[in-house]
Amino acid sequence: MKKWGVTSVVLVLVIVLTVYYFNTKEVYGNDRDSIEKVIYSIEGYEDQQIEILDIQDFNDYRFVGFLSNNHPSYVEFYKNHKGNYEWRHIETDSNDSLGFFLPFIHDDLNMMVVTNYENEIAKIQIDVNGESVEQEFTPLNASVTWIELPQSDSRDYEFKNYRYYDNDGHLIFGE
């Protein structure tokens, strides 16, 4: 009888631990579906409408441009020692139809631009560390665009003179 009691306790313990393990299992950003699950699991994004636009991998980093309730957003993942992508950072620009994000990749700063379906900007020009950088977009189209920025030995970047143009080349905003 004593043996049966110990076996029962061990069996119950195994069942409880198994249920606990499967219910608290970490979600990783290893594919499109799991990336959505990760985003929905983050505080403030639980009830948002999410649309993934682009997934880019740079060695052990994964960057995902998406819309959160039609607001330009991005989430960053890092590949852990088991090969799973864990989220590190998430950001949303809720004020504009075009969001600028600045993730570091291999000690270089790159600009990730996420546009939503309301974006009317066809081209931007920005002075970065005294160099003019230009990028075109398709208006009224949700997209992710990467802009390679000029190298900086000090990792300091100065962004000045943002100029936005419409589809006809007319200046919308800027100097």
Side-chain angles (χ1 to χ4, degrees):
M1 187 67 173
K2 195 174 190 181
K3 207 175 197 182
W4 178 252
V6 170
T7 303
S8 297
V9 168
V10 169
L11 184 60
V12 168
L13 189 59
V14 166
I15 291 171
V16 167
L17 290 175
T18 302
V19 168
Y20 176 78
Y21 172 77
F22 284 109
N23 285 335
T24 60
K25 188 175 172 187
E26 179 104 20
V27 179
Y28 299 106
N30 294 342
D31 58 34
R32 191 181 262 321
D33 290 337
S34 64
I35 290 168
E36 282 186 16
K37 288 178 185 173
V38 168
I39 294 170
Y40 285 126
S41 74
I42 299 169
E43 184 178 339
Y45 291 86
E46 307 93 329
D47 299 323
Q48 302 293 305
Q49 181 181 349
I50 303 299
E51 179 182 351
I52 294 177
L53 302 174
D54 187 51
I55 302 168
Q56 289 290 323
D57 293 339
F58 299 94
N59 290 335
D60 290 340
Y61 295 92
R62 172 167 286 171
F63 300 94
V64 180
F66 69 99
L67 298 177
S68 174
N69 280 357
N70 202 40
H71 297 296
S73 307
Y74 98 101
V75 62
E76 178 181 330
F77 296 88
Y78 181 77
K79 190 185 290 186
N80 67 18
H81 66 282
K82 292 182 180 179
N84 293 313
Y85 285 96
E86 296 179 8
W87 82 274
R88 296 170 28 126
H89 181 76
I90 192 166
E91 193 173 334
T92 295
D93 184 343
S94 58
N95 296 321
D96 293 311
S97 61
L98 182 137
F100 295 98
F101 305 104
L102 298 168
F104 273 98
I105 304 169
H106 310 300
D107 295 328
D108 291 328
L109 187 67
N110 290 272
M111 183 179 287
M112 179 186 203
V113 183
V114 180
T115 62
N116 69 15
Y117 296 104
E118 298 167 5
N119 175 53
E120 295 180 359
I121 298 167
K123 181 172 76 172
I124 60 168
Q125 290 176 328
I126 307 167
D127 294 338
V128 182
N129 293 349
E131 248 182 80
S132 184
V133 175
E134 183 175 294
Q135 181 63 51
E136 293 185 3
F137 304 97
T138 303
L140 305 176
N141 183 50
S143 67
V144 175
T145 304
W146 286 90
I147 302 173
E148 191 172 328
L149 300 176
Q151 294 291 323
S152 171
D153 295 333
S154 65
R155 291 183 83 180
D156 289 332
Y157 289 86
E158 181 180 33
F159 298 89
K160 294 173 30 178
N161 304 324
Y162 284 78
R163 295 168 303 281
Y164 302 83
Y165 298 89
D166 67 14
N167 214 21
D168 296 323
H170 299 111
L171 184 66
I172 297 172
F173 176 80
E175 302 168 2

